[in-house]
Amino acid sequence: MVTSSFAIVSLFAVLLLHTVSPANCDSVNQRFLQCLDNHSNPSYPISTVVYTPNNSSYSSVLQAYIRNLRFNESTTPKPQLIITALHESHIQSAIVCAKQYGLEMKIRSGGHDFEGISYWSVVPFFILDMFNFRSINVSIADETAWVQVGATLGEVYYRIAEKSNTHGFPAGVCPTVGVGGHFSGGGYGNMMRKYGLTVDNIVDAQIIDVHGRLLNRESMGEDLFWAITGGGASSYGVVIAYKIKLVVVPAIVTVFQVNVTLQQNATNIVYRWQQVAYKLDEDIFIRLTMDVVNLSSTSTEKTIRASFLSLFLGDSKRLLSLMNQGFPELGLKPTDCIEMTWAQSVLYWTGFPIGAPVNTLLSRIPQLLTHIKWKSDYLKKPISKDGLEYTWKKMIQLERVVLTFNPYGGKMAEIPASAKPFPHRAGNICKIQYAVDWKEDGVEAANHYVNLTRMLYGYMTPYVSKSPREAFLNYRDLDLGINHNGHNSYAEGAVYGIKYFKANYNRLVQTKTKVDPDNFFRNEQSIPTLPSSEM
Ligand SMILES: Cc1cc2nc3c(=O)[nH]c(=O)nc-3n(C[C@H](O)[C@H](O)[C@H](O)COP(=O)(O)OP(=O)(O)OC[C@H]3O[C@@H](n4cnc5c(N)ncnc54)[C@H](O)[C@@H]3O)c2cc1C
Ligand SMILES: *[C@@H]1O[C@H](CO)[C@@H](O)[C@H](O)[C@H]1NC(C)=O
Ligand SMILES: *[C@@H]1O[C@H](CO)[C@@H](O)[C@H](O)[C@H]1NC(C)=O
Ligand SMILES: *[C@@H]1O[C@H](CO)[C@@H](O)[C@H](O)[C@H]1NC(C)=O
Ligand SMILES: *[C@@H]1O[C@H](CO)[C@@H](O)[C@H](O)[C@H]1NC(C)=O
Ligand SMILES: *[C@@H]1O[C@H](CO)[C@@H](O)[C@H](O)[C@H]1NC(C)=O
Ligand SMILES: *[C@@H]1O[C@H](CO)[C@@H](O)[C@H](O)[C@H]1NC(C)=O
Ligand SMILES: *[C@@H]1O[C@H](CO)[C@@H](O)[C@H](O)[C@H]1NC(C)=O
Ligand SMILES: *[C@@H]1O[C@H](CO)[C@@H](O)[C@H](O)[C@H]1NC(C)=O
Ligand SMILES: CC(=O)N[C@H]1CO[C@H](CO)[C@@H](O)[C@@H]1O
């Protein structure tokens, strides 16, 4: 706590320093632009994709992929320029010139980073925006696909579903999330108990490294391939595309959502969920979300609503029989079960009405665009009924924080913790997430709501993983520690690195030191390099 509040205070100090020196930036900018031109491939002139604050489209290009309005404030530091790369040579020029002028490069694909670190920084920076790299080539014959980083998950799902109703891919549940950050940071979704994480289903990648070389899995080597499948690619290079292995899904899947309040025995059912959800047949995934609601439409008294949202890879008959055996306490009824295709289930899970056309997956308009703060935790032992009741009491006091448990077990528990940088495998009941969103702009509202997640996170301390208190990289959380000047030591990086990666942190640092010894690819929570004496 001491370290993180210090980090936050210092962050704002640095932020103030940098907002008052625009004159200097302009001349850097001119030379930087000239450098880009000098290194531009004449067949693909870079000037057509460079936006400075002078271009009338600069603000709309910047805002197009801001997916957390907490970082859409006038006080949010702005990039000196944005390069909306259309060709690999644009990426190579950006790297060469950023190295030459010491300008920090932020890489943005879908812009869903919870802390917005793909599009703002406390030091002078520019954005390499990858949204134009969005081609997807699906081969049902090979059961693989090449997917560029600027594609969204919804586009990936749609392109698969267009060719086959018995193939799918295990990635996140929100269709507008970008491939670049999601795939490089782990990626989980409602098929993880059957097929593992997104990164467990990636077979190749293309990356541009600090020397501007375009590498594939074979030429980058297994260490780097391992690092960019869960360790966050932004410490290592610019990923262009990933090759994924499709998975088999039934032509008909079943979904349900059952809600119960405290008055409807929620405490007992939630208690039971913790014991069974991670042990059920791996075709069943039941997400548990708890929020605070009014007791009734005529009462202002508060209660907790526990919502059980499920995807089952099979028909409703088999689901009902498995639930009767494994989790009868939920009381699932035939009328709760809805059969549909896998692609339709993606839309159902993200809140679209039943019957929404499948091409809704192609929409890049986020369903929820607001101010957000999320945090994560891991649960290793069931919380006692007393512990649950204490949690409900605290949630009702805070009112706005939504608590979600995503069950692990199944395939997740079979994959070794070192197979990928993501270490949270066997021994976890579920991942916990804390989420709050709000409508009001401004620092005051942000401080108020962000504090709510920190308070609940504090109350949950006795129940969750310890030493380290584990966290999920794709749920980026700057409260866990921050890299002020872009040059963390091994120990400073370990403050957040061990929470995200546990023992895998070491291999990430060693790989980083090998492929980017001068630490060009850096951000607020990047992997540090080792001094040469420690190699
Ligand atoms: C509404 C919402 C729902 C979510 N649901 C899920 C979910 O179901 N499952 C889950 O696992 N996660 C989920 N997430 C988290 C999400 O996976 C991460 O935020 C992810 O990093 C977003 O990827 P992006 O490309 O959209 O983000 P960006 O903000 O573009 O990038 C995130 C990070 O990756 C880096 N990066 C991006 N592209 C590249 C690249 N091409 N090369 C190198 N580095 C790159 C960025 O620099 C940044 O550090 C959700 C997030 C949101 C906001
Ligand atoms: C760009 O190239 C021109 C002509 O070769 C050279 O004079 C200039 O210094 C270069 N500028 C930068 C910023 O690289
Ligand atoms: C922006 O325009 C102003 C005046 O129109 C000019 O002085 C400045 O150099 C331009 N900056 C860039 C980065 O093009
Ligand atoms: C982001 O901020 C700009 C400038 O204040 C505003 O015009 C825009 O509407 C905001 N974006 C969203 C989605 O609210
Ligand atoms: C998909 O195929 C097209 C045409 O061959 C090619 O231009 C594109 O780069 C491919 N995309 C990926 C991600 O491999
Ligand atoms: C509540 O749950 C407990 C434990 O599962 C069960 O024994 C009890 O019968 C349930 N009560 C009601 C009213 O359903
Ligand atoms: C719940 O009650 C509050 C008053 O405490 C009221 O403002 C709010 O609109 C109610 N919410 C719903 C969903 O009815
Ligand atoms: C169940 O709870 C969820 C919140 O988790 C809510 O969105 C949904 O509308 C609820 N469903 C019903 C039928 O009340
Ligand atoms: C949240 O705000 C309250 C009231 O200002 C304060 O006492 C508390 O320390 C804050 N908690 C955290 C975790 O920041
Ligand atoms: C994309 C685009 O139109 N960029 C222009 C922005 O403005 C500079 C000059 O200031 C032009 O060179 C770019 O072509």
Side-chain angles (χ1 to χ4, degrees):
M1 264 302 135
V2 173
T3 352
S4 69
S5 37
F6 170 74
I8 289 151
V9 170
S10 320
L11 188 76
F12 285 109
V14 179
L15 208 142
L16 286 175
L17 281 178
H18 281 284
T19 45
V20 293
S21 54
N24 195 25
C25 297
D26 225 37
S27 61
V28 172
N29 211 333
Q30 288 303 344
R31 278 181 285 140
F32 190 79
L33 289 172
Q34 205 186 14
C35 176
L36 289 175
D37 275 336
N38 282 6
H39 290 91
S40 178
N41 176 333
S43 313
Y44 306 98
I46 198 167
S47 59
T48 60
V49 296
V50 174
Y51 295 83
T52 70
N54 279 4
N55 287 99
S56 54
S57 325
Y58 168 89
S59 293
S60 58
V61 172
L62 174 63
Q63 286 161 23
Y65 290 93
I66 290 182
R67 298 310 198 203
N68 183 351
L69 297 185
R70 183 152 62 102
F71 305 105
N72 186 45
E73 300 276 357
S74 57
T75 48
T76 308
K78 302 292 185 286
Q80 295 200 7
L81 54 136
I82 305 169
I83 301 175
T84 59
L86 269 175
H87 186 258
E88 279 133 30
S89 66
H90 298 152
I91 301 166
Q92 290 159 328
S93 309
I95 294 172
V96 169
C97 296
K99 277 198 293 192
Q100 194 166 327
Y101 289 97
L103 196 54
E104 190 163 292
M105 182 166 94
K106 291 292 194 171
I107 310 162
R108 179 165 75 171
S109 287
H112 283 67
D113 191 285
F114 281 117
E115 299 280 13
I117 68 164
S118 54
Y119 53 84
W120 72 274
S121 177
V122 294
V123 298
F125 73 104
F126 72 102
I127 297 174
L128 176 65
D129 219 335
M130 296 295 290
F131 64 84
N132 285 318
F133 276 76
R134 58 169 82 168
S135 86
I136 298 170
N137 297 335
V138 175
S139 165
I140 296 296
D142 293 0
E143 300 188 299
T144 62
W146 270 104
V147 179
Q148 286 185 332
V149 289
T152 63
L153 301 184
E155 289 163 358
V156 175
Y157 300 152
Y158 182 80
R159 294 299 164 208
I160 296 170
E162 180 180 58
K163 294 199 166 167
S164 163
N165 66 354
T166 54
H167 287 86
F169 188 64
V173 301
C174 170
T176 58
V177 165
V179 162
H182 185 76
F183 286 28
S184 66
Y188 84 87
N190 55 19
M191 294 201 287
M192 80 173 139
R193 301 191 63 250
K194 172 109 176 180
Y195 292 116
L197 298 173
T198 302
V199 290
D200 300 323
N201 296 279
I202 294 179
V203 292
D204 203 343
Q206 290 180 344
I207 189 172
I208 296 187
D209 76 356
V210 69
H211 308 293
R213 295 179 301 200
L214 177 62
L215 306 172
N216 63 13
R217 179 171 182 172
E218 195 184 351
S219 53
M220 79 178 81
E222 285 304 302
D223 280 336
L224 183 53
F225 179 70
W226 176 85
I228 62 167
T229 50
S234 52
S235 299
Y236 297 94
V238 179
V239 178
I240 306 286
Y242 284 104
K243 186 181 186 185
I244 60 178
K245 179 95 192 79
L246 307 184
V247 301
V248 171
V249 297
I252 293 295
V253 303
T254 307
V255 296
F256 69 76
Q257 183 167 39
V258 171
N259 293 355
V260 292
T261 61
L262 295 183
Q263 289 66 25
Q264 295 162 325
N265 219 2
T267 305
N268 283 313
I269 302 172
V270 168
Y271 181 70
R272 197 65 199 140
W273 178 96
Q274 299 178 96
Q275 277 150 341
V276 299
Y278 73 106
K279 292 186 193 149
L280 291 172
D281 187 290
E282 59 191 25
D283 285 336
I284 306 181
F285 185 85
I286 308 176
R287 168 184 277 187
L288 166 58
T289 298
M290 290 146 285
D291 60 359
V292 179
V293 294
N294 294 344
L295 195 51
S296 72
S297 56
T298 55
S299 168
T300 58
E301 198 189 323
K302 303 293 170 204
T303 187
I304 297 289
R305 167 175 65 183
S307 166
F308 298 83
L309 174 64
S310 179
L311 171 70
F312 175 63
L313 297 170
D315 62 22
S316 58
K317 194 159 165 264
R318 187 160 72 95
L319 172 61
L320 284 159
S321 125
L322 288 168
M323 289 291 285
N324 266 332
Q325 283 162 36
F327 192 16
E329 295 80 1
L330 188 60
L332 187 68
K333 297 190 297 287
T335 49
D336 296 323
C337 301
I338 312 163
E339 293 182 340
M340 53 179 63
T341 66
W342 174 76
Q344 287 167 334
S345 79
V346 177
L347 292 171
Y348 175 84
W349 259 70
T350 196
F352 284 100
I354 291 168
V358 171
N359 69 8
T360 308
L361 290 170
L362 298 177
S363 169
R364 287 186 168 235
I365 300 165
Q367 275 200 283
L368 184 69
L369 183 55
T370 179
H371 308 73
I372 51 180
K373 171 70 187 180
W374 288 35
K375 297 175 76 67
S376 62
D377 256 327
Y378 281 90
L379 190 70
K380 314 262 178 192
K381 289 196 310 259
I383 304 172
S384 66
K385 288 183 191 175
D386 284 349
L388 290 175
E389 273 159 8
Y390 172 78
T391 307
W392 309 149
K393 193 175 86 191
K394 292 301 176 188
M395 282 177 71
I396 288 171
Q397 279 168 13
L398 299 174
E399 217 176 295
R400 289 289 296 274
V401 189
V402 178
L403 193 61
T404 299
F405 291 5
N406 281 291
Y408 275 39
K411 181 84 172 178
M412 288 298 285
E414 290 160 19
I415 297 173
S418 60
K420 291 289 169 188
F422 177 99
H424 321 288
R425 303 283 191 169
N428 288 294
I429 291 177
C430 66
K431 176 168 70 62
I432 296 179
Q433 82 198 30
Y434 309 86
V436 66
D437 63 80
W438 63 97
K439 291 201 171 65
E440 307 92 307
D441 283 334
V443 172
E444 211 173 303
N447 285 344
H448 170 73
Y449 291 108
V450 169
N451 173 284
L452 300 182
T453 60
R454 292 182 183 146
M455 296 289 285
L456 189 57
Y457 183 82
Y459 298 135
M460 294 291 280
T461 309
Y463 311 120
V464 298
S465 66
K466 317 178 168 45
S467 314
R469 186 166 182 173
E470 299 170 28
F472 177 40
L473 178 68
N474 264 347
Y475 284 13
R476 169 108 43 217
D477 180 2
L478 294 184
D479 298 351
L480 302 179
I482 195 160
N483 183 342
H484 297 250
N485 51 12
H487 291 277
N488 266 0
S489 67
Y490 176 91
E492 287 159 342
V495 173
Y496 49 86
I498 299 284
K499 289 174 187 288
Y500 288 139
F501 308 115
K502 298 176 76 177
N504 296 330
Y505 176 65
N506 283 335
R507 184 173 174 195
L508 286 170
V509 173
Q510 268 155 10
T511 305
K512 166 73 180 178
T513 309
K514 220 163 45 183
V515 305
D516 182 24
D518 296 328
N519 197 20
F520 169 72
F521 289 107
R522 59 187 186 274
N523 62 54
E524 287 67 16
Q525 283 188 337
S526 54
I527 301 294
T529 53
L530 288 172
S532 47
S533 59
E534 288 172 37
M535 270 299 271

